[in-house]
Every structure is written in C-alpha cells, then in structure tokens.
Amino acid sequence: LNLNPISKEILEINNEAIKLITEENIESALDLLKEAEKKITKNENEITDPKIKIIINHNLACSYQKIKNISKCISHLEKVNSDFDMFLESKHKIKISPDFFLQKILSDNPQPNVLLGDFILELRFCAKFHLQMCAAYSQNNNHKEALVHAKLAALICEDNVSKTFFLLKQTQME
C-alpha cells in the first residue's frame, strides 16, 4: 500500500493496540485506539484509504465489547457499518441490503469488472461485523435488531459461497 505518513502512523498505533488486545490489556489498547480515532478526525482530509477508519472503529468496537461496554461497542459497529457500506458502494457500486443479496444469490453471475477474490474477502469482513452486531444487540437485549443482522450475515455468507464456487470454476477452466 502507498500510504501517507499520517495513515501509516494510525496503522502503527492500531498494530500496537492489537498486540495489547492479544495480551488482554484492553484498557491500554482502548487508549491507543482512541488516540488513532482522534488523529483520523483531525486529519480526515489526508486519509485517502477509507478502510483505515473502518479498521479503527472495528477494533474499538471489539475492545468495548470485551469490557462489556455494549452501548459504545454498538456505536462503533454502526460507524463501521455506515463506512463499510459507503466503501462498497463507491468501489463496487453496490448497497448492502437483504434485497441485494437475494437478487445476487438468484443470479449466479458476479460482477465481471471486480477482482472477485478481493470482493469475497471484503464481504467476509462484512458478514463478520454483522454477526458481531447481532451479538452486541443481543447482549443489549435488542433481539429484534440482532435478528436483522444475523439474517444479513447469513445472506452475505450464502452469497460468498456462491461467489467462491464461481471463482473455483473459473480457475479450473483456465
């Protein structure tokens, strides 16, 4: 990746936070992630890769979930959801919704101008954070919203299996 200095600095802070999370030092990780979040806000115009903001908010959400601060976890997951939707819409011209996946599953014809392997990985992340949203909403006793995200994650996974099978068929034909 060709990143500018502030983006590199934010990702370095994120990597340090990840190390702390794996060591179960969640409070220190949160301090670093909040620092990264402030740098994103302060330098928003300089950050050209939208995934940086998504990564920081996702790691903040994971950290808050680990310390059982579910309302902050949900708040950051909603930011991830919004930012990731905008990312997919700008990169792939799609909007994540149950209707989109039902239509895509019925037509076994993925978009031709997309690097399908990258798209599969991006959708895998999308399914992962929707499952995390399901868990957080359920922990917050909002089971109706949890079910919405569980169903969406299931649709994304089903669509991804279809895309993976399509990719496998493509590579076997080459």
Side-chain angles (χ1 to χ4, degrees), residues 14 25 69 139 141 161 173:
N14 180 67
N25 189 347
N69 188 334
Q139 286 175 301
N141 291 319
V161 168
M173 293 169 73

Side-chain angles (χ1 to χ4, degrees), residues 10-27:
I10 290 167
L11 289 177
E12 287 170 9
I13 292 169
N14 180 67
N15 290 339
E16 287 299 312
I18 297 285
K19 287 179 192 170
L20 292 169
I21 291 169
T22 59
E23 296 167 0
E24 296 295 319
N25 189 347
I26 308 303
E27 292 296 334

